[in-house]
Amino acid sequence: DTEVTQTPKHLVMGMTNKKSLKCEQHMGHRAMYWYKQKAKKPPELMFVYSYEKLSINESVPSRFSPECPNSSLLNLHLHALQPEDSALYLCASSQVGSLAGSTDTQYFGPGTRLTVL
Amino acid sequence: GNSVTQMEGPVTLSEEAFLTINCTYTATGYPSLFWYVQYPGEGLQLLLKATKADDKGSNKGFEATYRKETTSFHLEKGSVQVSDSAVYFCALLNSGNTPLVFGKGTRLSVIA
């Protein structure tokens, strides 16, 4: 099974709201990723967690706050977002992150489509 | 650095036509290469992969061969279906402290 699940599927929020995106995998993967994808563009890497530790933060604004409570779960906490943050947010996982010298396949979830009003 | 170049499309084909989507890459060492597919309104699905030179990845009638001499990983399918309409991303992953690198994506529309 190569399934990554994400909730919610759709989210609409105001600029003053606080919300969270959730991602879960049960493949025993130890690396998890958040990507942001704008329309007609490839995904852009935001964060990488390796063995539940944040290993890459691609200069993402602090209004995005990732959390990895355990090896199966990854959250993205959102606060004071801007309309330009509206996008598809994708979670992915792999057995071992590329920081460990691995080229393991990344498996993606279905995404959360976020709209910021 | 690492980069991927793929034909941007859009590509429009009739059902049962032959498909080729070109992908070339620049990388040091021996990266792994991937094709991901994104159907409308969905996330990315791994379509196929190859981890070393001359490997052929295949899935659902799609094929791609890792050609180190031409630094290419072209996607092919002999007979496309309407259900193949999607955006296809070529991607590269090199070992070490490097992220997954995507091409810009190619939109394929198959008409009946």
Side-chain angles (χ1 to χ4, degrees):
Chain A
D1 183 13
T2 56
E3 188 177 26
V4 176
T5 59
Q6 291 186 243
T7 56
K9 189 171 176 62
H10 299 279
L11 178 62
V12 178
M13 60 186 291
M15 289 189 284
T16 58
N17 292 157
K18 286 185 181 180
K19 296 287 184 183
S20 296
L21 309 185
K22 297 185 184 302
C23 173
E24 191 166 5
Q25 57 87 15
H26 293 289
M27 296 177 278
H29 290 175
R30 301 310 299 270
M32 297 185 77
Y33 311 76
W34 279 115
Y35 288 85
K36 174 182 178 180
Q37 186 182 26
K38 301 285 275 185
K40 300 186 178 181
K41 298 288 188 183
E44 298 174 7
L45 183 65
M46 300 174 72
F47 302 105
V48 180
Y49 273 83
S50 184
Y51 295 89
E52 295 94 71
K53 296 279 192 290
L54 182 64
S55 57
I56 290 180
N57 176 342
E58 291 285 357
S59 303
V60 179
S62 60
R63 57 186 184 268
F64 295 91
S65 175
E67 178 197 21
C68 190
N70 59 56
S71 60
S72 300
L73 293 174
L74 185 66
N75 297 321
L76 185 63
H77 302 298
L78 314 173
H79 174 54
L81 294 194
Q82 304 296 311
E84 60 263 30
D85 296 322
S86 298
L88 181 68
Y89 287 84
L90 294 164
C91 173
S93 71
S94 65
Q95 282 192 327
V96 179
S98 61
L99 291 182
S102 164
T103 54
D104 281 335
T105 303
Q106 290 183 25
Y107 295 93
F108 286 79
T112 293
R113 187 160 300 282
L114 173 68
T115 302
V116 182
L117 301 177
Chain B
N2 302 316
S3 67
V4 173
T5 302
Q6 64 178 107
M7 53 191 292
E8 291 191 27
V11 174
T12 302
L13 295 174
S14 297
E15 208 165 23
E16 299 184 3
F18 185 85
L19 168 71
T20 300
I21 301 178
N22 290 335
C23 172
T24 57
Y25 68 90
T26 302
T28 56
Y30 303 95
S32 291
L33 300 173
F34 306 87
W35 277 101
Y36 286 91
V37 57
Q38 188 170 32
Y39 298 102
E42 298 187 10
L44 270 68
Q45 296 179 24
L46 177 68
L47 182 59
L48 53 84
K49 68 177 183 179
T51 58
K52 61 183 188 296
D54 300 325
D55 266 2
K56 177 187 282 189
S58 61
N59 186 24
K60 300 181 181 180
F62 291 89
E63 293 182 343
T65 301
Y66 188 161
R67 302 280 189 205
K68 193 162 178 66
E69 63 276 13
T70 53
T71 61
S72 65
F73 193 54
H74 304 322
L75 182 68
E76 296 182 337
K77 187 176 185 184
S79 176
V80 293
Q81 304 300 312
V82 172
S83 57
D84 294 325
S85 298
V87 179
Y88 293 81
F89 290 98
C90 184
L92 170 161
L93 185 60
N94 221 339
S95 60
N97 190 14
T98 58
L100 185 60
V101 176
F102 288 94
K104 293 185 176 181
T106 301
R107 182 172 300 276
L108 170 66
S109 294
V110 181
I111 53 177

